[in-house]
Amino acid sequence: EAQVTQNPRYLITVTGKKLTVTCSQNMNHEYMSWYRQDPGLGLRQIYYSMNVEVTDKGDVPEGYKVSRKEKRNFPLILESPSPNQTSLYFCASSSPRDRECYTFGSGTRLTVV
Amino acid sequence: TQLLEQSPQFLSIQEGENLTVYCNSSSVFSSLQWYRQEPGEGPVLLVTVVTGGEVKKLKRLTFQFGDARKDSSLHITAAQTGDTGLYLCAGVGEGDKLSFGAGTTVTVRA
């Protein structure tokens, strides 16, 4: 089944403790992206990647890092999480043939205390 | 400030009634998408409208793209409880960048 898989689904952590949220897709998509979803603000793009080793900042990149060493994986790294990064995070991917057709993961709900 | 404004923010109706959700912007988009998101899941693409003035129908759902490609509407006829969810519009702009509205939470009561 074609899908985007995120792990973990839920995470509670403390301020300053480094964490990584993994994202993997099995559709051989070049384009991958991370979003955060907050009430009243919709989805805002954090980082995106056009292909392996090519990443760029989205609208709200502060406090986040990403890497794209392989086509299928696009982890989101929070080096020193803070409470304002408490949010629902989504990974998405799309193919160059149909760039507008995004497949989203099921989300990771992160709480930073 | 949201690039895309959705209204209303919340909508609660009885099963069988009709509803319309609006998505407005001052920006022009090459295309506009509508997603539905259920609790605990990611958004799922419902439709993409590309041409100004375009109308697309998916069973009881009718999507319209404004003539100037700045706004869109989603109309649901004879709503069912299974239509309950968060409806998101997203505009595709320069560089295929996707900008989302804040969403409309639709609740259809049995």
Side-chain angles (χ1 to χ4, degrees):
Chain A
E1 183 192 348
Q3 59 185 4
V4 175
T5 304
Q6 293 178 228
N7 280 297
R9 289 295 306 273
Y10 302 91
L11 180 58
I12 301 175
T13 190
V14 296
T15 299
K17 186 177 180 182
K18 180 179 178 179
L19 68 92
T20 299
V21 183
T22 64
C23 173
S24 180
Q25 49 94 5
N26 62 1
M27 296 166 281
N28 203 35
H29 284 169
E30 276 82 6
Y31 184 91
M32 296 185 75
S33 182
W34 275 103
Y35 292 85
R36 60 178 288 172
Q37 185 176 31
D38 301 288
L41 295 176
L43 283 95
R44 293 178 293 167
Q45 191 180 52
I46 302 170
Y47 268 94
Y48 64 96
S49 169
M50 303 286 280
N51 213 326
V52 175
E53 301 291 1
V54 180
T55 63
D56 213 340
K57 296 177 180 178
D59 298 316
V60 288
E62 294 76 23
Y64 304 94
K65 282 173 56 176
V66 292
S67 71
R68 189 90 183 273
K69 294 186 169 61
E70 311 161 276
K71 194 183 231 185
R72 63 184 296 126
N73 295 323
F74 190 42
L76 179 69
I77 303 150
L78 284 72
E79 294 271 2
S80 183
S82 62
N84 65 12
Q85 291 177 298
T86 292
S87 187
L88 181 57
Y89 291 86
F90 288 100
C91 180
S93 72
S94 69
S95 78
R97 273 191 305 273
D98 196 359
R99 270 290 302 281
E100 299 170 2
C101 189
Y102 282 69
T103 301
F104 281 83
S106 296
T108 296
R109 185 166 291 283
L110 172 66
T111 303
V112 184
V113 298
Chain B
T1 305
Q2 214 62 36
L3 191 61
L4 283 155
E5 298 288 337
Q6 284 189 240
S7 62
Q9 191 176 353
F10 299 96
L11 191 52
S12 179
I13 60 169
Q14 202 71 33
E15 198 169 27
E17 293 181 338
N18 302 332
L19 68 95
T20 302
V21 176
Y22 299 93
C23 176
N24 295 295
S25 176
S26 56
S27 300
V28 176
F29 296 104
S30 58
S31 63
L32 198 137
Q33 302 182 333
W34 284 93
Y35 291 80
R36 190 172 94 193
Q37 183 180 9
E38 300 194 21
E41 297 298 327
V44 175
L45 181 65
L46 295 174
V47 78
T48 301
V49 283
V50 179
T51 308
E54 181 178 3
V55 177
K56 271 192 179 175
K57 292 194 176 192
L58 281 175
K59 297 183 182 177
R60 294 176 294 101
L61 277 61
T62 302
F63 305 86
Q64 186 159 9
F65 200 12
D67 291 341
R69 304 210 315 275
K70 292 182 180 181
D71 54 84
S72 181
S73 64
L74 156 61
H75 182 80
I76 302 179
T77 305
Q80 300 174 356
T81 55
D83 295 325
T84 292
L86 175 67
Y87 288 83
L88 296 158
C89 67
V92 180
E94 239 178 85
D96 291 339
K97 181 180 165 60
L98 209 58
S99 299
F100 283 86
T104 295
T105 300
V106 171
T107 304
V108 182
R109 305 185 306 274

